Amino acid sequence: MAALDPICYVAMKVEVFIVANSAKHNGWLLDIVGAGWEYYTCAAFPCEIRGALAGIMILEDADFGIDHRLHFKIEAADDADIGFLTDKTYHVAKRGPAAEGVPSRMPFAVPFNFGIAGPRVMRAVVLKGDVDLGEVTFKVREPPDAGPVTEL
């Protein structure tokens, strides 16, 4: 696996970073379904987890006209065992359709899937080089116990 970019001068900021069932960006807008995971329930283990990392970046003037290589990673919160890792390069040639006085925003959506052997807390992170721009955690769990059946 290649190392992350060691030197990074970051101007961009993550305004929103979430885990969702699915997401896609449509121009300057972000379409999201089933967002804001606190947990993902597996019927049995091992389990295949599918979803999307999605968010919105705030862009500064220095961000325009250059390539931005962002890394997206999902790892176990307790031991950093990596479940998913990819990178995407974004090029923003010019300012988007932001209103005057409002920062320009760029949506991103990265689908993912990975296998997991058992319940654990996962940490999703977006990085530029070795700088953490945003993170969110969610728990992978077994179905909650329905409890005893009660007759009326």
Side-chain angles (χ1 to χ4, degrees):
M1 178 171 66
L4 302 179
D5 300 333
I7 298 174
C8 176
Y9 300 98
V10 177
M12 62 176 35
K13 298 171 188 68
V14 171
E15 183 176 47
V16 176
F17 183 53
I18 55 175
V19 183
N21 292 346
S22 66
K24 64 180 181 174
H25 59 85
N26 183 8
W28 293 94
L29 297 177
L30 181 61
D31 297 329
I32 305 172
V33 175
W37 290 10
E38 290 182 18
Y39 56 84
Y40 184 97
T41 304
C42 292
F45 288 98
C47 176
E48 184 77 13
I49 299 176
R50 298 177 190 273
L53 301 176
I56 298 174
M57 296 280 194
I58 297 285
L59 301 172
E60 305 290 334
D61 289 341
D63 295 321
F64 297 108
I66 59 174
D67 290 339
H68 298 281
R69 186 173 176 209
L70 301 178
H71 305 279
F72 299 90
K73 177 170 63 170
I74 301 175
E75 63 188 5
D78 58 352
D79 65 5
D81 183 27
I82 295 176
F84 174 81
L85 178 65
T86 194
D87 61 80
K88 301 270 184 185
T89 300
Y90 297 91
H91 181 82
V92 184
K94 61 182 183 174
R95 183 174 167 80
E100 188 173 331
V102 175
S104 190
R105 294 176 172 97
M106 179 191 75
F108 61 87
V110 178
F112 67 82
N113 68 303
F114 62 93
I116 191 165
R120 62 195 320 183
V121 174
M122 303 302 289
R123 173 183 175 259
V125 62
V126 56
L127 302 133
K128 183 164 184 192
D130 59 358
V131 178
D132 184 337
L133 299 177
E135 69 177 73
V136 63
T137 56
F138 63 94
K139 183 173 186 170
V140 178
R141 67 181 192 174
E142 297 176 281
D145 184 12
V149 176
T150 307
E151 292 186 28
L152 298 176

